Amino acid sequence: MTLQALIFDVDGTLAETEELHRQAFNETFAEWGLEWSWGRDDYRVLLKTGGGKERIAAFQASLPEGARRLSGDEIKALHKDKTTRYGALIAHGHLELRPGVADLIEKAREAGLKLALATTTSRPNVEALTRACWGKAAADVFPVIASGDEVAHKKPDPEIYNLALKRLGLPPKDCMAFEDSRIGLHSAMGAGLPVVVTPSLYTDEEEHMGAAYRIADLSRQNWPLMLVARLCSD
Ligand code: XBP
Ligand code: MG
């Protein structure tokens, strides 16, 4: 393997964003007059469905007969409002990257590795995050981006990672994926990628069988040896 690119998941991997997503969902439900409120325990289960629109549909499927349900178009419209709200929360909040993320990305850039994102979240959310954390447009930090609104099947399906690989123009064996969740791990593995898992707030109790490495975070002392060898030769 000649490591040529790093492909990062966004939510839970670059930053602990899911509490902000949950807040944005709940505030939007209230704005829409829905008596839905996702607590932390509910959300841990709901996160097994990748993608906000798909998550709402999965939630509705579990409601009792006769409960108010949204149509497909209403879900789309509500999710658009949720995305706007999430962007505002990120812009006005104090979101921080997880430990080691900024350093790893900087080192990888210096070493000439390509940098990519493969996320089930929507593209505006990626822009909000890079603006808040790097003060830059997403494409200026990650030249290759595959986001949830571009694929028919979200994680754990490998489609999003296959799209990122196609845009990178590289075989999976020359790349490394970084994920925080089981569905993300399975998506990346399905595309043939070796995966480093850094469990997050909502995924720390999951089983991550098949990961090449499972480490607490991306601080330099946790980097797998092959990353150290490739990035810290000075
Ligand atoms: C995690 C997700 C997303 C977010 C919500 O994405 O599953 O659906 O929870 O974002 P990642 P949207 O692949 O980066 O871990 O509402 O925009 O879908
Ligand atoms: Mg994630």
Side-chain angles (χ1 to χ4, degrees):
M1 173 194 195
T2 335
L3 188 60
Q4 296 195 56
L6 307 184
I7 312 176
F8 292 88
D9 165 54
V10 172
D11 294 309
T13 299
L14 295 183
E16 290 283 7
T17 48
E18 286 301 351
E19 276 303 273
L20 289 174
H21 278 295
R22 191 171 71 84
Q23 185 181 345
F25 278 117
N26 284 335
E27 289 179 3
T28 311
F29 296 155
E31 182 194 332
W32 275 58
L34 293 162
E35 284 174 13
W36 300 349
S37 179
W38 291 350
R40 287 190 181 165
D41 289 345
D42 305 318
Y43 201 59
R44 193 177 276 272
V45 178
L46 286 161
L47 273 174
K48 312 273 181 231
T49 303
K53 294 188 280 291
E54 292 79 356
R55 190 166 303 144
I56 293 167
F59 170 71
Q60 291 204 133
S62 73
L63 292 176
E65 219 182 321
R68 181 174 168 198
R69 282 182 172 73
L70 302 179
S71 66
D73 283 348
E74 285 173 320
I75 292 179
K76 262 192 208 157
L78 181 146
H79 188 260
K80 201 163 168 249
D81 290 352
K82 178 258 164 182
T83 300
T84 305
R85 197 172 275 274
Y86 176 81
L89 287 172
I90 294 258
H92 302 119
H94 304 282
L95 187 68
E96 284 181 7
L97 294 169
R98 287 188 62 188
V101 168
D103 181 33
L104 172 58
I105 287 169
E106 189 51 36
K107 273 283 179 194
R109 186 182 303 105
E110 284 169 18
L113 292 187
K114 292 185 180 175
L115 293 166
L117 293 180
T119 172
T120 49
T121 203
S122 334
R123 180 65 186 254
N125 296 345
V126 177
E127 295 293 339
L129 186 139
T130 60
R131 283 267 165 229
C133 296
W134 277 277
K136 289 181 182 173
D140 291 339
V141 187
F142 300 96
V144 167
I145 299 176
S147 59
D149 20 26
E150 299 183 280
V151 291
H153 306 102
K154 299 199 174 161
K155 298 173 188 175
D157 192 283
E159 192 177 347
I160 196 84
Y161 276 99
N162 283 328
L163 181 62
L165 285 169
K166 193 173 152 203
R167 289 181 177 162
L168 282 165
L170 292 170
K173 67 170 179 52
D174 292 346
C175 306
M176 186 173 267
F178 295 83
E179 271 289 348
D180 69 305
S181 69
R182 190 171 142 84
I183 61 167
L185 166 68
H186 283 219
S187 172
M189 278 169 51
L193 287 153
V195 189
V196 176
V197 174
T198 51
S200 58
L201 280 179
Y202 275 106
T203 62
D204 55 355
E205 288 168 3
E206 289 181 343
E207 165 271 299
H208 297 119
M209 196 103 73
Y213 304 92
R214 189 182 195 268
I215 52 183
D217 60 42
L218 292 174
S219 306
R220 208 181 280 203
Q221 75 267 14
N222 296 330
W223 289 0
L225 271 182
M226 62 164 302
L227 263 189
V228 176
R230 181 74 172 83
L231 303 183
C232 308
S233 51
D234 47 319

